[in-house]
Amino acid sequence: MQETRLDTTRIRAARRVIDPIFLDTPLYRCEALEPRLGCAVSIKLETANPVRSFKARGTEVIASLLADHGPRAVVCASAGNLGQALAWSGRGRGLDVTVVASRFATVAKLDRIRALGARLELVDGDHEPARERAAAIARYDGIRLVEDSLDIETCEGAATIGLELVDPVPAFDTVLIALGGGALATGVGHVMKALAPEVEVICVQPLGAPAMTRSWHQRRVVTTDSTNTIADGVAGRRPIPAVLDDLLLVADDAVLVQESSITAGMRILLHDAGLVVEPSAALGIAAILEDRARFAGRHVVTIVCGSNVDADAYHRWVGAAP
């Protein structure tokens, strides 16, 4: 395999600094899903932790480094999950955390960021103005800027999920990964290519936020002017070139799914697996729903990556029968 920015030795070392509460998350075959989906499905559940997403695996690595020999203040832009995770990890290590988010972000995520003690600044627009404002704060105040997916710690923290998938030897042949900025996809994808190259790595993104998927297919950065998806956690418009370079090395395919398939996936996970998930976490199920023939007879792992969702919106999305 050509080399990505990630390093398997560092990924193994990351497990030693990540709070064990975020490690060794459940991985189980969910037979109740299989009649509807037509393939064997295993779930890697990343929501049963204090921030209800996988993001703390990366922020734990960052906060540990800063607590040892870095600035005591840190800022990030976030759609919600990274901000919660950085607030949680920073609070435990005495760091001063600022999170910049769109004022249109999920209210439940913003409330949780505040509850965890971070300073929250809201900006107009979507995630891209939040990224610009966070960078400006870092420059003006001279503090550490955490850039999700660009900062290698966010990728290698997420990659510890991959270590848990391949130990012991995987029984599955496909892993479906939500694709946004790329930390989760490049992290898990790197481990698969290094340690289980026979496993197909498929990234999944909403049709209404297709920038990274289009970039992967065209092998160059493709930006979009706007996004239109309920999956706020993966709704980026401007892929990071270095992250795309990594993704090109570790992903076997990248697919886009419709909003109706995302909500159908959320309903199926609720009714058949008893899981309340945010839209980004249902992207893997959505991909199966849209291409059952591709996955028929296969054993698929889908990473359920987050469950931070507004209650009213969730009930609207899953209210109909699956």
Side-chain angles (χ1 to χ4, degrees):
M1 185 183 78
Q2 290 179 264
E3 289 192 5
T4 68
R5 296 178 302 140
L6 289 80
D7 179 82
T8 305
T9 300
R10 288 200 307 262
I11 294 166
R12 294 189 188 280
R15 284 183 54 87
R16 297 195 290 271
V17 301
I18 297 171
D19 189 315
I21 201 169
F22 299 107
L23 297 174
D24 301 312
T25 53
L27 172 64
Y28 60 96
R29 182 168 171 178
C30 188
E31 294 185 22
L33 294 172
E34 296 173 8
R36 197 187 305 277
L37 299 178
C39 61
V41 180
S42 288
I43 286 172
K44 180 62 168 167
L45 188 64
E46 292 294 310
T47 63
N49 63 58
V51 298
R52 297 195 291 192
S53 83
F54 75 95
K55 293 288 188 181
R57 290 179 182 253
T59 60
E60 283 287 280
V61 179
I62 291 170
S64 176
L65 292 171
L66 292 178
D68 289 341
H69 47 71
R72 307 297 297 183
V74 61
V75 60
C76 75
S78 175
N81 285 351
L82 178 71
Q84 288 182 72
L86 188 59
W88 194 93
S89 296
R91 185 182 66 177
R93 292 172 174 82
L95 304 181
D96 179 15
V97 176
T98 299
V99 178
V100 185
S102 168
R103 64 180 71 258
F104 305 110
T106 300
V107 173
K109 295 180 179 181
L110 299 180
D111 288 344
R112 185 61 179 154
I113 291 169
R114 293 188 185 98
L116 287 167
R119 173 177 172 265
L120 180 64
E121 180 174 326
L122 301 179
V123 299
D124 293 325
D126 60 12
H127 185 61
E128 297 306 328
R131 284 174 62 183
E132 293 168 2
R133 176 57 182 159
I137 291 172
R139 287 193 302 269
Y140 184 80
D141 293 343
I143 64 177
R144 167 68 186 268
L145 172 66
V146 173
E147 294 190 77
D148 199 12
S149 304
L150 178 60
D151 283 8
I152 199 65
E153 299 91 347
T154 63
C155 303
E156 291 180 342
T160 60
I161 297 170
L163 293 180
E164 294 166 17
L165 289 176
V166 300
D167 185 19
V169 177
F172 57 91
D173 53 64
T174 308
V175 59
L176 296 170
I177 311 173
L179 179 60
L184 182 63
T186 59
V188 174
H190 172 91
V191 174
M192 291 298 121
K193 293 309 168 193
L195 303 179
E198 71 281 2
V199 173
E200 186 177 20
V201 175
I202 302 176
C203 303
V204 190
Q205 197 165 39
L207 187 62
M212 186 62 98
T213 296
R214 289 181 180 173
S215 298
W216 185 88
H217 283 281
Q218 296 187 34
R219 305 190 69 82
R220 64 178 180 87
V221 170
V222 177
T223 63
T224 61
D225 293 330
S226 61
T227 60
N228 183 22
T229 179
I230 62 172
D232 60 306
V234 294
R237 297 190 285 112
R238 301 174 187 168
I240 298 169
V243 182
L244 175 61
D245 289 343
D246 289 340
L247 191 69
L248 289 170
L249 295 174
V250 302
D252 296 302
D253 199 3
V255 301
L256 298 171
V257 294
Q258 299 179 65
E259 297 295 290
S260 58
S261 299
I262 297 172
T263 54
M266 294 171 70
R267 287 195 294 271
I268 288 170
L269 285 168
L270 174 64
H271 290 283
D272 294 343
L275 297 175
V276 174
V277 305
E278 61 186 84
S280 300
L283 288 170
I285 301 299
I288 300 172
L289 289 172
E290 291 201 2
D291 198 353
R292 286 182 174 86
R294 176 177 187 173
F295 299 103
R298 301 175 76 169
H299 187 166
V300 177
V301 166
T302 183
I303 301 172
V304 175
C305 55
S307 63
N308 290 296
V309 64
D310 178 79
D312 291 338
Y314 181 82
H315 287 299
R316 289 197 305 272
W317 295 329
V318 304

